[in-house]
Amino acid sequence: HEAPAKQQIVCSRSFGAPVTEKSVMQEAVASYLSRAMEKLRREQRLVRSLQVFIRTSPFREQDPQYSNAATGQLHEPSEDTRPMMGMAMRLLDSIWRDGYPYSKAGVMLSDFYEPNAWQPDLLSDQNASAKGRVTSVDNPQLMQVLDTINAGNLGKIWFARQGAHRDWQMKREWLSPGYLSRWAELPKVR
């Protein structure tokens, strides 16, 4: 008995400190999108629709409040993070407002397709690749290499848009120990 296929993939987090700079928010959204696309590829699916959302903290009543989301679609479904990254940044640009201390952001993927199940519209150029023109930036092999490297212990590769410092990440000092999931955190008896 198989579990039903997911209808959405959501990746979002609350920030460790309020985010007020757009460049920091772009790093966070890029990181969430990259993680969501990794999940998509593990399920061996393609996606067309992306939603980006941001919000301030509803618990900080002294701060100005703002919440918004924007959705976009690719012309053809993809498993490649790169065209989705461009769309994510355009969607974020459309909802970003200066002057707010944002506490959370995220992305949601939807409108999934099985590989080779997408039927292009009648007006699309079916013979473009045969004529030597590139119709898509999709590169499944590149994404597979990226996922293989990131799944291993040799290090991580990420898109430049994700940033290197990641000061926006959740605070971890109150994180529960992972006794059941990490060997290094097992209690030691002497």
Side-chain angles (χ1 to χ4, degrees), residues 5-20:
K6 291 180 183 176
Q7 299 299 310
Q8 301 171 333
I9 295 176
V10 178
C11 190
S12 70
R13 299 283 184 276
S14 294
F15 302 127
V19 170
T20 56

Side-chain angles (χ1 to χ4, degrees), residues 175-188:
L175 185 66
S176 300
Y179 300 132
L180 301 175
S181 59
R182 293 187 190 94
W183 287 104
E185 294 186 24
L186 280 173
K188 293 178 178 72

Side-chain angles (χ1 to χ4, degrees), residues 1-122:
H1 185 273
E2 255 182 66
K6 291 180 183 176
Q7 299 299 310
Q8 301 171 333
I9 295 176
V10 178
C11 190
S12 70
R13 299 283 184 276
S14 294
F15 302 127
V19 170
T20 56
E21 295 178 33
K22 187 176 182 182
S23 62
V24 175
M25 183 66 78
Q26 288 171 329
E27 289 178 7
V29 168
S31 294
Y32 300 151
L33 175 66
S34 183
R35 179 74 179 118
M37 292 298 289
E38 285 175 15
K39 291 178 182 182
L40 175 87
R41 288 189 295 273
R42 265 198 310 270
E43 294 181 9
Q44 298 178 347
R45 299 174 85 189
L46 306 175
V47 65
R48 276 190 67 206
S49 185
L50 168 67
Q51 182 180 70
V52 173
F53 55 91
I54 57 177
R55 75 166 200 212
T56 57
S57 174
F59 306 108
R60 294 184 50 89
E61 295 174 1
Q62 71 274 19
D63 290 344
Q65 299 294 306
Y66 178 74
S67 177
N68 206 344
T71 304
Q73 281 196 332
L74 294 175
H75 181 67
E76 295 181 10
S78 177
E79 65 179 351
D80 196 317
T81 303
R82 297 168 303 158
M84 296 297 278
M85 189 75 71
M87 184 183 351
M89 294 304 112
R90 289 187 299 277
L91 294 172
L92 178 60
D93 286 346
S94 73
I95 59 175
W96 176 264
R97 300 294 178 264
D98 287 325
Y100 291 96
Y102 295 99
S103 66
K104 187 172 186 173
V107 299
M108 181 175 66
L109 304 178
S110 59
D111 196 11
F112 299 130
Y113 294 84
E114 298 300 320
N116 303 318
W118 165 255
Q119 183 169 349
D121 62 49
L122 293 173

